[in-house]
Amino acid sequence: MLHKLLLVLLLSFTVGHSSCSPGTPEADNISVRSATTPAFLTVADMRPAPKIHWLTIEQAEEKLKQEPRKVLVDVYTDWCGWCKKMDKSTFTDPEVVALINKNFYAVKLDAEGDRPITIKGQTFTFKPEYKAHELAVALLNGQMSFPTTVYLDEQLNMLTPVPGYLDAKNMSSILRYFGENHHQMMTWQEFEKTTK
């Protein structure tokens, strides 16, 4: 009985599929159906979604020694609803993920974290009087707004902080502006005109 069932499954799978190899459209669109799924799923649907390779800022500083890249710092707090929305929508968008992983070292920084952080030979700590981490205060120029995405160059020098929630479209534009070095040739306003 099991042998017949396997044969039926094998025949139903091979009918209509002459051949496929990795990287071909056919290989990425093989359909699978089970008794519990009412619709067809493709192999692409079952693959885990690409994710941003988040690091600590110290790890990013170490990686810069081997391969220079710009650094993106997501400054957040645990209580910030817009930070959580960016995590769920913007930072999971396939284009945003690809642009960040290609051109940046991505860092998550809890603005209220209490772990000492040493970068560029300087140690930053949580300051109760600010109710914030010194590094967050420094990166945000004292303007404590969450979320804020901070862009640093390959030597960890400030390019700019960008405060507020960003959807995937706006984030992608900013990532291209800095990641593809457009900021070295034109202003943001000039760049925006070229992308419309």
Side-chain angles (χ1 to χ4, degrees), residues 6 13 20 23 46 50 54 70 96 122 127 153 163 180:
L6 287 174
F13 180 73
C20 62
M46 295 185 288
W54 294 106
K70 290 174 186 62
V96 169
Q122 184 177 353
K127 292 294 184 190
D153 70 11
E180 297 170 0

Side-chain angles (χ1 to χ4, degrees), residues 27-32 39-47:
D28 289 340
N29 292 311
I30 297 171
S31 296
V32 178
F40 283 95
L41 297 174
T42 66
V43 171
D45 294 331
M46 295 185 288
R47 285 187 205 132

Side-chain angles (χ1 to χ4, degrees), residues 134-178:
E134 279 180 311
L135 182 57
V137 173
L139 290 172
L140 303 185
N141 299 316
Q143 304 297 310
M144 307 309 284
S145 170
F146 312 108
T148 293
T149 311
V150 179
Y151 295 87
L152 306 174
D153 70 11
E154 294 83 351
Q155 290 78 42
L156 295 173
N157 298 314
M158 177 70 69
L159 291 171
T160 192
V162 179
Y165 170 82
L166 294 168
D167 62 20
K169 181 181 179 205
N170 288 319
M171 174 66 89
S172 293
S173 293
I174 298 168
L175 291 169
R176 280 196 177 83
Y177 180 66
F178 290 113

Side-chain angles (χ1 to χ4, degrees), residues 10 15 23 62 164 193:
L10 181 60
V15 172
E62 280 304 307
K193 289 177 189 171

